[in-house]
Amino acid sequence: MQSNKKMIFFDIDGTLVTEGTHIIPESTKKAIRLARENGHLTFINTGRTHFNIDNKVRNLGFDGYVCGCGTYIYYHDKLLFSSTIPHAECLRLIQLMRDCELTGFFEENSHIFLDELSPYSGKEITDARAMFGARGIDCLPFDLDESFTFDKLLVFFHTRSNKKAFLEGIKENYTFIDRGRQTAEIIQKSCSKATGIQFFMDYLGIPLENCYAIGDSTNDLSMLQFVPNSIAMGNSMKEILPYCAYQTTDILDDGIYRALEHFGIV
């Protein structure tokens, strides 16, 4: 057991990278470099799937990645774990969304798909397509052949959506993560940001008390509740604050560096 080595798990959006402007503060880059020089391990733990992690994030130097809220796990670019929703179940979820009149996009490890036949296509989808397009990512229409699968969903509700029926249809096998503004992530119940941390604890023999998690939003709750050393950014959603052991400053006010300094990691 590597009893002195610590593992630090970082969310991306709002934690490492500013929302909208996508800035990584120089103090954040320094903190991650110093943590690794001090013998600790650093990991991305994100709702993004693997292909959707920018090179500027990868270039910070991480030992591994927990992607898609625990559905894919990499260590030094080697895939160690994956979990995909079976084809027939993907078809059921798509039909459920159409029946309940809501829309969203479907994420897998190397693509993002849009349902072009959704009964509702609003500003959220237009904005998402523009955002991904600006980063060189195509949101693809899908072909419902037998090879089509995905790993997680991001859904958007509107006034016509039958939210109650949708929640009833997913409650057995999925976790519903409310992201605010009528948006939610739908994750396989067997996977989470917390299961990603547990995987690396078992794989590397590092105890829970040496694990740290840093996030800013409700999709970080599973990892923030799991580790004793849970850190909220200064710019966090207020909903996560009761579950964090420490709140650092805002992302642009050296939040990452101050957090790692507080815990003696740098």
Side-chain angles (χ1 to χ4, degrees):
M1 180 176 291
Q2 304 179 48
S3 58
N4 294 320
K5 191 179 292 289
K6 302 182 191 304
M7 296 194 295
I8 309 101
F9 294 83
F10 299 88
D11 174 54
I12 296 178
D13 300 290
T15 300
L16 290 176
V17 180
T18 56
E19 298 275 10
T21 52
H22 307 294
I23 295 168
I24 302 175
E26 289 301 316
S27 62
T28 294
K29 299 175 184 179
K30 180 180 179 181
I32 293 167
R33 176 176 56 80
L34 290 176
R36 299 188 77 206
E37 287 177 0
N38 288 340
H40 305 303
L41 300 173
T42 59
F43 298 89
I44 289 293
N45 199 340
T46 182
R48 295 192 193 192
T49 51
H50 192 254
F51 88 102
N52 194 19
I53 299 174
D54 301 316
N55 283 334
K56 64 182 178 182
V57 173
R58 298 179 191 274
N59 291 339
L60 294 176
F62 291 96
D63 295 284
Y65 299 84
V66 177
C67 301
C69 290
T71 54
Y72 280 78
I73 298 175
Y74 292 82
Y75 186 57
H76 295 306
D77 292 325
K78 180 180 179 181
L79 179 63
L80 300 180
F81 173 85
S82 65
S83 180
T84 295
I85 301 171
H87 173 69
E89 176 64 2
C90 288
L91 298 187
R92 185 189 76 84
L93 289 169
I94 291 167
Q95 190 59 52
L96 177 66
M97 289 177 65
R98 290 174 178 173
D99 291 345
C100 295
E101 294 193 75
L102 54 97
T103 191
F105 48 84
F106 308 85
E107 301 174 75
E108 60 102 35
N109 207 35
S110 55
H111 296 95
I112 291 177
F113 300 100
L114 297 179
D115 184 0
E116 303 290 356
L117 299 179
S118 170
Y120 173 73
S121 181
K123 183 176 184 296
E124 300 92 346
I125 291 297
T126 302
D127 289 349
R129 189 186 291 278
M131 178 189 71
F132 288 121
R135 294 168 50 203
I137 296 173
D138 290 328
C139 295
L140 305 173
F142 48 70
D143 183 351
L144 299 181
D145 64 22
E146 61 185 16
S147 67
F148 175 73
T149 59
F150 51 83
D151 311 318
K152 64 187 289 278
L153 305 86
L154 185 72
V155 299
F156 305 109
F157 297 96
H158 63 102
T159 54
R160 294 201 315 269
S161 299
N162 189 339
K163 186 174 182 179
K164 182 178 179 181
F166 179 73
L167 292 177
E168 183 66 25
I170 66 167
K171 68 179 183 180
E172 183 174 351
N173 296 312
Y174 301 93
T175 301
F176 177 91
I177 303 175
D178 188 348
R179 299 298 305 273
R181 294 176 293 182
Q182 295 298 301
T183 304
E185 283 184 273
I186 312 302
I187 313 297
Q188 301 169 55
K189 270 191 178 176
S190 60
C191 298
S192 70
K193 291 189 175 187
T195 64
I197 294 175
Q198 182 67 65
F199 183 95
F200 277 119
M201 286 169 54
D202 297 337
Y203 186 76
L204 297 171
I206 293 177
L208 182 61
E209 59 266 26
N210 284 11
C211 295
Y212 299 74
I214 309 179
D216 69 289
S217 72
T218 47
N219 89 331
D220 299 314
L221 270 176
S222 69
M223 70 172 180
L224 295 172
Q225 291 174 299
F226 182 67
V227 302
N229 307 301
S230 52
I231 302 163
M233 298 298 293
N235 46 276
S236 293
M237 295 173 66
K238 66 180 186 302
E239 290 86 349
I240 75 169
L241 299 182
Y243 306 99
C244 294
Y246 177 73
Q247 184 176 19
T248 186
T249 52
D250 285 13
I251 183 171
L252 290 176
D253 190 21
D254 303 330
I256 293 294
Y257 190 93
R258 290 173 191 251
L260 299 193
E261 185 178 50
H262 173 82
F263 284 99
I265 294 169
V266 299

